Amino acid sequence: PLLPVIAITIAILSGCDRGGQSVYLPPSNGASAPPAGPSKTFVADSDNRVIASFANADPPAGEVGVDRLISGSAVGNFMEALVYDAIADRLYVADDGVFPGVARSITIIDNASIANGPSSASRQIRSTALNRSTTTMSLDAANDLLYVNNSDASSGNAVVLVFSGISTASNDVVPDQVIALIDYSGTPVSNVGAMHVDTINDILYVSTSVSRGPAGFADVILAYPNASLLNTAAPAIPNREMEIGIAGGGRRWIVGDTVNDRLFVSSGSKVLVFDFLSFLPSGITTPARAIELTYAIAGLALAPLGDRLYSIVSDPFIQLNGVIIVNNASSANSDNGDVTTKFAVSPGSNRLSAIAVAP
């Protein structure tokens, strides 16, 4: 049977109405009706300074009414990363503060699944270590750690900041660790596309590009063992470097299914799926399968318990904005013809910048 890839527009993202406000469809159960239940999907719309959230994690294809809109001081103008702790019902928002007078920070929204309308942050973490845009975060809820990518103030090379006690941390915070990253050849990593922490095997995975000399650059996944023990004293050394393609195809978003030892990696309009991740050796690595999504991917999120993969599609040139939902993500395979795609085009020109989902 066909394993459907259901694509939805999460909202009518038509920029702004004549009053200067963002335009969204009301909830499907009526404009004044309360949401059917707690929200499970969160999507950042930085242009309009809102986070749209949805109670139905697997809605039908088509234009879908937003259940809640989080606005006010809890959200920012350049939200490049979201992480959701479903057990604590807590949303972490990386705000890169591109406007004058707005500092880079990580905002925490408690009771995120029911947050609606103008909202204040429950807490905010500021740090002088946040030198540039935070484009990816990974949460180790069991050990109360938040991994945040950033850069070294002096060299500009990539670092991973580790904040402990993240469930209560607030105000000006010094990261417990500032981890410098080097690749398999010992060269400092200059940028991180995305990051995943395998909390079972204690492995930090990052996507980046490395030099191959005259052959150019290659996109790789670097694996750093003993992630929770990495520290500021010395650069982190990977024990594996998995080459996944030639550089130049855009940013490599990654999300991981820790329990099933699986990694999903964006590649243009495809998602490459790697099984037995912790056992993959170094070298050119062939994915177990691929999922074709037709449109260029601008962000990924995974709901492993629901076996759903979410991809942001946001292309202002063709005025396309929405989220593609892949059901049966663990086995979907375009090469076998068992994946179909549907998409309802939105007229908007907004830029959806980050997504987080409940498992």
Side-chain angles (χ1 to χ4, degrees):
L2 291 180
L3 302 179
V5 177
I6 300 178
I8 63 168
T9 47
I10 60 162
I12 292 182
L13 297 175
S14 54
C16 296
D17 66 12
R18 277 177 264 186
Q21 301 298 313
S22 56
V23 180
Y24 284 89
L25 281 173
S28 56
N29 59 341
S32 60
S39 292
K40 301 178 180 66
T41 304
F42 304 85
V43 182
D45 174 356
S46 292
D47 286 353
N48 286 311
R49 292 198 65 166
V50 296
I51 296 175
S53 70
F54 307 87
N56 188 350
D58 188 19
E63 293 181 337
V64 176
V66 62
D67 290 302
R68 297 173 175 92
L69 276 177
I70 305 172
S71 60
S73 61
V75 300
N77 53 63
F78 204 71
M79 299 173 286
E80 290 296 288
L82 300 177
V83 171
Y84 181 55
D85 181 348
I87 294 177
D89 193 16
R90 185 176 292 129
L91 185 67
Y92 296 87
V93 184
D95 178 15
D96 288 325
V98 295
F99 289 168
V102 180
R104 293 187 173 101
S105 63
I106 298 169
T107 297
I108 297 92
I109 302 172
D110 291 335
N111 303 311
S113 66
I114 57 173
N116 194 22
S119 304
S120 299
S122 304
R123 290 176 287 122
Q124 188 177 62
I125 295 172
R126 299 179 297 273
S127 177
T128 56
L130 295 170
N131 297 304
R132 74 174 184 191
S133 297
T134 293
T135 54
T136 180
M137 300 188 293
S138 189
L139 177 68
D140 180 353
N143 292 304
D144 208 14
L145 301 174
L146 184 68
Y147 294 77
V148 179
N149 88 299
N150 220 262
S151 66
D152 179 77
S154 300
S155 67
N157 292 325
V159 296
V160 174
L161 311 177
V162 184
F163 296 94
S164 66
I166 195 64
S167 61
T168 56
S170 184
N171 298 319
D172 295 316
V173 178
V174 177
D176 292 80
Q177 306 295 348
V178 180
I179 305 167
L181 303 176
I182 61 175
D183 63 24
Y184 214 46
S185 69
T187 303
V189 173
S190 60
N191 67 84
V192 171
M195 178 171 56
H196 163 63
V197 177
D198 176 347
T199 56
I200 293 177
N201 296 299
D202 200 21
I203 302 171
L204 168 66
Y205 294 95
V206 301
S207 63
T208 189
S209 297
V210 298
S211 174
R212 291 291 188 249
F217 287 80
D219 286 342
V220 300
I221 304 296
L222 299 174
Y224 298 89
N226 305 311
S228 62
L229 301 178
L230 297 175
N231 57 60
T232 308
I237 302 172
N239 66 349
R240 290 176 292 146
E241 182 178 275
M242 293 156 282
E243 185 172 331
I244 55 175
I246 299 172
R251 178 177 171 182
R252 300 280 188 168
W253 301 89
I254 63 174
V255 290
D257 179 350
T258 296
V259 172
N260 293 298
D261 203 18
R262 182 175 294 123
L263 192 71
F264 298 82
V265 182
S266 70
S267 178
S269 63
K270 288 185 178 181
V271 177
L272 309 179
V273 186
F274 298 88
D275 294 331
F276 308 109
L277 176 62
S278 62
F279 296 96
L280 292 177
S282 293
I284 297 175
T285 307
T286 302
R289 55 200 167 278
I291 304 169
E292 176 60 63
L293 300 183
T294 305
Y295 304 104
I297 295 165
L300 289 176
L302 183 70
L305 297 181
D307 198 14
R308 287 185 295 270
L309 178 70
Y310 298 74
S311 171
I312 291 179
V313 177
S314 190
D315 189 336
F317 296 103
I318 58 174
Q319 295 188 325
L320 182 68
N321 294 278
V323 176
I324 294 176
I325 301 177
V326 182
N327 285 300
N328 305 301
S330 62
S331 58
N333 188 348
S334 293
D335 293 337
N336 291 343
D338 60 6
V339 172
T340 58
T341 59
K342 301 176 184 177
F343 204 95
V345 176
S346 165
S349 59
N350 301 63
R351 186 181 66 90
L352 307 183
S353 54
I355 183 170
V357 298

